[in-house]
Amino acid sequence: MIGTKIHITGIVQGVGFRPFVFTQAIQKGLTGWVCNTSAGVDIEVTGEPVDISLFIQSLKSEAPPLARIDSLDSQEIPLKPYDTFEIVHSKVVSDAFQPISPDIGICPDCLKELFDPQDRRYRYPFINCTNCGPRLTIIEDIPYDRPKTTMRDFAMCPNCRAEYDDPTNRRFHAQPIACSDCGPQVWLEYPLRENKARKQVSQGDNAIYNVQKLLLSGKIVAIKGLGGFHLACDATNPKAVTELRRRKLRVDKPFALMMADTSTVEGHCLLTEVERELLESRQRPILLLPRKETSFIAAEVAPSQNTLGVMLPYTPLHYLLFTPVDNNKKLARGRKSYVMPPLVMT
């Protein structure tokens, strides 16, 4: 039996790295601990030399998909009698630097839950897990832990806490974990002309439904997302696009578009297989694509251009915005179902 101390730097916070280390250590029969610091991730393990060697190899070769290891240093230390392996409280290191993961577009697992009526996060606009969701835009200090993010104001409900504490759950130590019972909510508000005060109009699915109606009626809506606000309008409505240009003092620079899926994109643009893969990648880039002559996107979106700048939804709120609210039968009884067109998102 030997003891080993390991220090890792890189993008190793906010990407499920501590839960990954925990799982690897348990699988290899090691005891000790892992913690975030302002300088990276520190690990101490006790075990057989061959098991520790395999453990270190797995950290390098099987790291979570969002992680990036820049350096991994290990050294033998005096043996310490640990009874188990655990994730311990983070440590502050003076004057240290730690890169933080960017915000990550919704993952396939969360997207499936978002539209599963049997899931407790069904149609929750801020669904996330260790593999996706906000990171850089919610953090206020390092090391990356919930109390040092804007999520500290949202106390976890018992169900979220159970998932957070469960090593077998993909939300194990997911700092932005939330649900409709305990997390952020979505609402619609508009300014009152008399005094410029704001009035809250609706919440939840009602807000999403009402925003769909506003957009289809030619209105401009500010939609809060990761990292700020998008100004959105119906990209097939010339008057709405022209009004948005007037308000932004944007004479002819093209606007970016968001379309519901690649099938919609193919209805307006020429799309290669490589471009399809890029659009659907978790980075969710804006691609410049050749515009089809049959596209009914307003010419005012990209004046005098033969290309359109297109991206796909990347947050759960975006997906809900493009989805008919009548998926929720109780809410939408007696209401018209709206199929959303491509939207300017600037």
Side-chain angles (χ1 to χ4, degrees), residues 55-66:
F55 171 71
I56 293 175
Q57 289 178 26
S58 70
L59 297 183
K60 297 176 180 178
S61 63
E62 301 176 34
L66 303 181

Side-chain angles (χ1 to χ4, degrees), residues 162-233:
E163 293 171 337
Y164 183 89
D165 291 335
D166 181 1
T168 66
N169 193 289
R170 83 172 191 282
R171 292 187 172 93
F172 180 46
H173 273 255
Q175 304 306 320
I177 188 172
C179 71
S180 57
D181 292 332
C182 65
Q185 304 296 319
V186 66
W187 71 88
L188 170 65
E189 62 181 36
Y190 65 87
L192 299 175
R193 291 185 179 179
E194 311 86 68
N195 56 13
K196 296 185 179 179
R198 294 192 177 276
K199 178 183 178 181
Q200 185 168 310
V201 179
S202 52
Q203 292 181 300
D205 270 341
N206 282 304
I208 293 170
Y209 180 84
N210 288 330
V211 166
Q212 290 175 335
K213 287 199 298 182
L214 288 170
L215 289 168
L216 288 172
S217 68
K219 302 298 183 183
I220 296 168
V221 180
I223 301 171
K224 193 174 191 308
L226 297 182
F229 283 87
H230 274 128
L231 296 179
C233 72

Side-chain angles (χ1 to χ4, degrees), residues 234-239 241 257 291 295-303 308:
D234 180 354
T236 67
N237 185 328
K239 289 184 179 180
V241 179
L257 299 176
R291 174 179 179 145
S295 171
F296 50 89
I297 297 293
E300 291 78 3
V301 166
L308 295 172

